[in-house]
Amino acid sequence: MGASPEIGNSINAGGINTNYHDQGEGHPIMLFHGSGPGVSAFANWRLVIPHLARNFRTIAPDIVGFGFTERPEDIKYEMETWVKHAIDFLDAMEIEKAHVIGNSFGGSLSVALAIHAPERISRLVLMGSVGLEFELTEGLDYTWGYTPSFENMRKMLDLFAYDRSLVNDELAQLRYEAGLRPGVQEAYAAMFPAPRQEGIKKIASKEEDVKNIQHETLIVHGKDDLIIPVSASEDLFRCIKNSQLHIFGKCGHWTQIEHNQRFNLLVENFLLEKA
C-alpha cells in the first residue's frame, strides 16, 4: 500500500500499469468509477468496497486516464480504448466473468462492455449512469469544463450532493490536490472538450445495441441528480428488458455516498439473488 489510500495494487493490463483495489473472496465484482476531476476508484467506492467484500471479491481499478493508472502519451481517450482497457484488465486478473457496477461515466463503460463482451459480465448495476445520449446538463458541462482551483472544486462538489453537509473544505482540498498531479488535468481536459454534447455522444451507446443487452440489470439513480438527469436511467430501464429501476429521493449524483447503507444492501441483495 502506498502513502495514499487511493493507491492499491498495480498490474500490467494490455501494456498499461493499472492501479486497482482488491478485497474479499467469492464471485468477482468490477467497480467502474465516474469521470469527475481528481477522481479515483478509491474516492468513488471507498464506502462500498468493504461492504461488498463480505460476500464477493470486490475489485475497483482506476480506468486509463484517471486516478493512479499510467497515462500513455499517445493514447486516444475514447470508448474503444476504455473497453479494451477493461477487457485487458479482466484478462490480466485472470477473471473470466464478473458482476459489473458502473457509476456515471463508468456506467457508460459498463453498458459498452455488456454490448461488446457480454460473456464477461454476470450481472450489471448502473448508478447515475450515462448509457444513451441525453441533453447536456449545466452540472455536467461545469464538471467536464472544470479548471483547477479550490473554489471551482468546491462549487463542483456542491453540484454532486443533495445533502451539502457531505461536502466540506477537506474533501474539496483532497480532490483539488489529486487533480494537480502531473498529467492529470491535461488528460482530463483532452477527454471532453467543448462542445460537450459531443462528449456525451462519444460515450453513449446506440439504442438498438442497448435493447439487445440480456443481462439482469439493476439501475439506480438519485432523484435530485444535477449531473446526469434521472431520464437517462429511465431510458435505460425502458431499453434493457431484464432490468429494474430504483430511484432514491433526496439524493444527488452520489447515491453510493449519500444513501450508502441503502445502496450497499440494494446492490448486495440483487447480486446474491438466485438466478
Side-chain angles (χ1 to χ4, degrees):
M1 200 68 168
S4 165
E6 293 182 280
I7 300 171
N9 308 303
S10 186
I11 196 167
N12 185 312
I16 297 168
N17 287 326
T18 303
N19 179 59
Y20 70 97
H21 303 268
D22 187 351
Q23 276 186 41
E25 291 176 3
H27 190 80
I29 299 177
M30 297 290 298
L31 298 167
F32 292 137
H33 59 73
S35 67
V39 77
S40 68
F42 181 82
N44 251 203
W45 301 115
R46 66 190 184 279
L47 302 180
V48 175
I49 293 169
H51 184 98
L52 294 182
R54 299 184 313 183
N55 287 296
F56 302 94
R57 183 181 176 194
T58 305
I59 304 163
D62 286 349
I63 299 159
V64 65
F66 299 96
F68 291 82
T69 286
E70 182 185 9
R71 292 174 174 77
E73 276 182 34
D74 57 348
I75 198 160
K76 283 180 79 173
Y77 292 115
E78 56 192 14
M79 190 50 76
E80 200 176 324
T81 301
W82 288 313
V83 168
K84 182 180 184 304
H85 183 229
I87 293 170
D88 287 342
F89 180 74
L90 283 167
D91 290 346
M93 297 289 286
E94 298 180 356
I95 293 171
E96 204 173 306
K97 201 168 190 175
H99 297 310
V100 170
I101 304 178
N103 167 29
S104 195
F105 154 79
S108 65
L109 169 57
S110 303
V111 168
L113 193 61
I115 291 164
H116 296 290
E119 71 285 354
R120 306 304 293 266
I121 296 179
S122 307
R123 288 191 169 197
L124 192 57
V125 179
L126 305 172
M127 188 193 87
S129 177
V130 180
L132 297 154
E133 200 175 342
F134 59 89
E135 196 173 323
L136 179 71
T137 61
E138 284 183 31
L140 184 58
D141 194 31
Y142 188 86
T143 300
W144 278 353
Y146 168 83
T147 52
S149 78
F150 170 78
E151 292 72 26
N152 287 351
M153 180 59 79
R154 180 69 216 234
K155 182 180 171 186
M156 190 199 77
L157 293 180
D158 273 333
L159 292 170
F160 273 66
Y162 175 83
D163 178 0
R164 296 293 186 274
S165 71
L166 291 169
V167 179
N168 55 37
D169 287 351
E170 185 186 10
L171 176 62
Q173 189 66 30
L174 277 172
R175 289 287 293 265
Y176 165 58
E177 286 173 9
L180 291 180
R181 289 182 296 105
V184 171
Q185 181 60 25
E186 290 81 354
Y188 189 69
M191 280 181 209
F192 305 110
R196 283 180 249 284
Q197 187 68 44
E198 290 300 309
I200 296 173
K201 194 178 287 187
K202 184 164 93 167
I203 63 174
S205 294
K206 293 192 178 90
E207 185 165 322
E208 58 267 32
D209 292 335
V210 174
K211 283 181 172 174
N212 283 329
I213 292 174
Q214 303 298 316
H215 304 84
E216 287 284 344
T217 303
L218 171 64
I219 303 165
V220 182
H221 216 107
K223 189 173 87 169
D224 309 284
D225 192 334
L226 299 175
I227 311 296
I228 309 295
V230 178
S231 59
S233 278
E234 290 170 341
D235 286 343
L236 286 168
F237 176 57
R238 177 176 52 80
C239 288
I240 302 173
K241 61 181 173 192
N242 294 320
S243 67
Q244 50 185 284
L245 172 63
H246 191 106
I247 298 173
F248 284 93
K250 294 185 178 177
C251 184
H253 193 53
W254 279 348
T255 313
Q256 84 283 25
I257 293 170
E258 292 196 76
H259 290 267
N260 175 247
Q261 269 189 305
R262 287 173 174 177
F263 175 81
N264 287 344
L265 288 171
L266 181 69
V267 170
E268 182 181 53
N269 287 341
F270 171 72
L271 297 179
L272 285 172
E273 185 184 79
K274 293 283 181 275

